[in-house]
Amino acid sequence: MLVGSLEGMESPGLAMVEAVPSAALRPYVTRLCAYREHYAAPVTRSEMAMPGAVLILAFGKAMEAGGRRVTAFGGGLGDRFTVTRTAGPTEGVEVFLTPFGARRLYGLPMRQLRNQVLPVGDLLGPWAELLVERLAGTPSWHARLALADRLLCERIAAGPALGPELPWAWARLLESGGRLGVSSLAESLGWSHRHLVARFQDQVGLPPKTAARVIRFGRAVRRLRSGAAPAEVAADCGFYDQAHMNREFRTLGDTTPGQIRPRPGAGIRAS
């Protein structure tokens, strides 16, 4: 069952309620959100690269994501931003998967899903299409989240078992903010560099060095949003200099550090 209280957010055109995944789902899913979007005009966004995979269990009008026209869709981790365009009313449940949640859910080597946006039917077959249909027939947002939680638990539990080594290595990368060296990880596991890269490609979808870049970028975004100065963030997060950080922000987020950091007196704006 879902635990914790539901948290809601509402802004013009968007309403969202978030729930904490159940204990059984938490190693594989970091966030579950029920949402509804309906704007007066089309909205285009650049979705930042993140250290996880997103599954959209949506119904309503199709949208554009990664150059495809889709309604319910998912994919793997990426090393670049993804452009989305929402033009009509849509609603559903958004699922933020860990790499290992995505690997077990999809049952595919994650390298095949790198930077990909695919309809859920292509990824998960009739199971996902039935899930979306059931979500559409469930009017309560709390009930939708509970249904998604339960069925995702069942599907992931039936997926391929994964050893503990890569989740351990991933946790160390997250803890270090992407600053832990690949050679250090390989040495700790007793693996060769080549074997570590191959396992990352299979279970994460990105080589460890690229995964570290995405993690470092996410940490820098959080630090900037908290009000830290760009120079401080560049040094703290392990960029060579501010120019290096600027390039990474363009590639991974289609933005700049100055656009992320809140202006004095302006407050922090939700993205």
Side-chain angles (χ1 to χ4, degrees):
M1 60 180 292
L2 296 174
V3 298
S5 60
L6 293 169
E7 295 183 3
M9 183 191 81
E10 192 162 354
S11 61
L14 172 66
M16 179 182 295
V17 171
E18 182 175 342
V20 179
S22 62
L25 195 59
R26 234 169 287 155
Y28 309 108
V29 171
T30 57
R31 288 177 60 198
L32 278 171
C33 302
Y35 71 94
R36 181 183 297 116
E37 291 185 285
H38 191 183
Y39 303 104
V43 173
T44 301
R45 302 185 182 97
S46 294
E47 306 289 353
M48 297 178 179
M50 56 174 281
V54 178
L55 174 65
I56 303 293
L57 301 168
F59 45 93
K61 192 165 183 179
M63 64 182 290
E64 294 178 23
R68 286 177 174 262
R69 190 161 180 80
V70 288
T71 303
F73 59 93
L77 279 71
D79 58 358
R80 58 176 183 251
F81 66 88
T82 301
V83 176
T84 65
R85 180 179 171 86
T86 303
T90 183
E91 59 184 295
V93 172
E94 184 175 34
V95 183
F96 291 84
L97 295 153
T98 69
F100 313 103
R103 179 66 178 86
R104 295 196 68 178
L105 180 66
Y106 299 138
L108 295 170
M110 290 299 291
R111 63 179 175 274
Q112 296 181 15
L113 302 178
R114 178 177 177 175
N115 291 316
Q116 294 293 311
V117 173
L118 297 170
V120 292
D122 293 355
L123 282 168
L124 295 164
W127 177 87
E129 294 169 349
L130 178 60
L131 173 54
V132 172
E133 183 180 324
R134 291 183 64 180
L135 290 173
T138 305
S140 160
W141 283 14
H142 184 278
R144 283 180 187 173
L145 289 165
L147 175 65
D149 188 290
R150 178 169 58 83
L151 294 184
L152 285 168
C153 273
E154 293 173 1
R155 177 81 181 200
I156 289 173
L162 305 176
E165 297 90 354
L166 256 290
W168 179 88
W170 182 253
R172 302 292 82 72
L173 267 184
L174 290 175
E175 288 170 1
S176 73
R179 301 194 67 171
L180 187 62
V182 176
S183 58
S184 176
L185 276 179
E187 183 179 350
S188 296
L189 290 166
W191 290 352
S192 68
H193 179 272
R194 184 174 181 178
H195 184 66
L196 179 68
V197 170
R199 293 289 295 273
F200 258 79
Q201 293 273 29
D202 177 76
Q203 295 188 27
V204 176
L206 302 173
K209 187 173 181 179
T210 305
R213 283 179 57 212
V214 174
I215 291 170
R216 179 177 59 198
F217 166 70
R219 181 166 183 259
V221 168
R222 291 190 297 274
R223 296 275 285 116
L224 288 165
R225 284 179 174 161
S226 73
E232 175 188 342
V233 172
D236 184 49
C237 293
F239 296 98
Y240 298 127
D241 50 30
Q242 287 191 59
H244 177 214
M245 184 167 72
N246 289 344
R247 290 194 299 272
E248 291 288 83
F249 269 61
R250 285 293 189 193
T251 300
L252 297 170
D254 191 30
T255 188
T256 66
Q259 290 172 311
I260 295 294
R261 190 184 185 215
R263 299 293 187 271
I268 299 177
R269 184 176 61 187
S271 64

